[in-house]
C-alpha cells in the first residue's frame, strides 16, 4: 500500500516508479513466503500460493488510455493486481452492503 496521492500510470502510459517499487515489494514477500512455506503453514495452516494486491493512487484520476494500460498491466501479471484506493473503497462498500443485506454472521476465531 502506497499513498492515494501517488501516480498509478504516467502520462507516457507506463506504470509509475511507485507502482513498480510496490510490485517488487509484494513479489519479494510472496517469494519469501513460498520459500519458507513449511514455517508459514505452521502459522497459517491453509496457506497456499497467495495473490498480491498493490494499492497506489486513484483510478478515477486516470485518462481512458491510462485505464487501458492499467487493465493490460493487470492482465499480464501473475497473482499480482494493481489498483487504486477508489477501487479498494468500492470493493469494501460492496462487501459491507452484502453483509448487511444478507445477514451474514461474522465470528472471530483464533488460530492456534
Amino acid at each position: 500500500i502506497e499513498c492515494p496521492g501517488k501516480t498509478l500510470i504516467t502520462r507516457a502510459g507506463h506504470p509509475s516508479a511507485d507502482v513498480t517499487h510496490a510490485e517488487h515489494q509484494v513479489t519479494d514477500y510472496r517469494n519469501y513466503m513460498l520459500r519458507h512455506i513449511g514455517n508459514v503453514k505452521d502459522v497459517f495452516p491453509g496457506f497456499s500460493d497467495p495473490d498480491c494486491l498493490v494499492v497506489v493512487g486513484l483510478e478515477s484520476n486516470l485518462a481512458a488510455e491510462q485505464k487501458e494500460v492499467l487493465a493490460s498491466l493487470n492482465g499480464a501479471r501473475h497473482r499480482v493486481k494493481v489498483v487504486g484506493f477508489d477501487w479498494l473503497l468500492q470493493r469494501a462498500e460492496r462487501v459491507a452492503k452484502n453483509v448487511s443485506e444478507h445477514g451474514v454472521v461474522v465470528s472471530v476465531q483464533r488460530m492456534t
Side-chain angles (χ1 to χ4, degrees):
I1 297 178
E2 292 294 332
C3 101
K6 292 187 176 181
T7 302
L8 266 164
I9 306 296
T10 67
R11 288 188 183 138
H14 302 287
S16 71
D18 294 314
V19 167
T20 303
H21 177 71
E23 282 182 310
H24 287 301
Q25 284 180 314
V26 298
T27 55
D28 286 348
Y29 188 62
R30 179 178 167 271
N31 290 336
Y32 173 85
M33 291 173 69
L34 291 172
R35 282 193 313 271
H36 298 90
I37 192 114
N39 295 335
V40 173
K41 283 190 173 192
D42 287 343
V43 179
F44 304 108
F47 180 82
S48 63
D49 193 1
D51 292 326
C52 301
L53 188 65
V54 172
V55 184
V56 179
L58 297 170
E59 292 183 37
S60 60
N61 291 344
L62 299 177
E65 298 82 18
Q66 291 170 308
K67 289 179 182 181
E68 289 176 17
V69 169
L70 180 60
S72 177
L73 170 79
N74 284 325
R77 300 292 193 264
H78 177 69
R79 295 198 174 271
V80 175
K81 183 173 179 96
V82 178
V83 300
F85 277 85
D86 41 0
W87 178 93
L88 190 62
L89 175 62
Q90 290 167 357
R91 185 81 180 245
E93 289 172 342
R94 279 188 297 229
V95 169
K97 182 179 177 188
N98 286 338
V99 168
S100 67
E101 287 180 359
H102 300 289
V104 174
V105 176
V106 179
S107 63
V108 178
Q109 295 181 352
R110 185 173 183 182
M111 295 189 326
T112 56

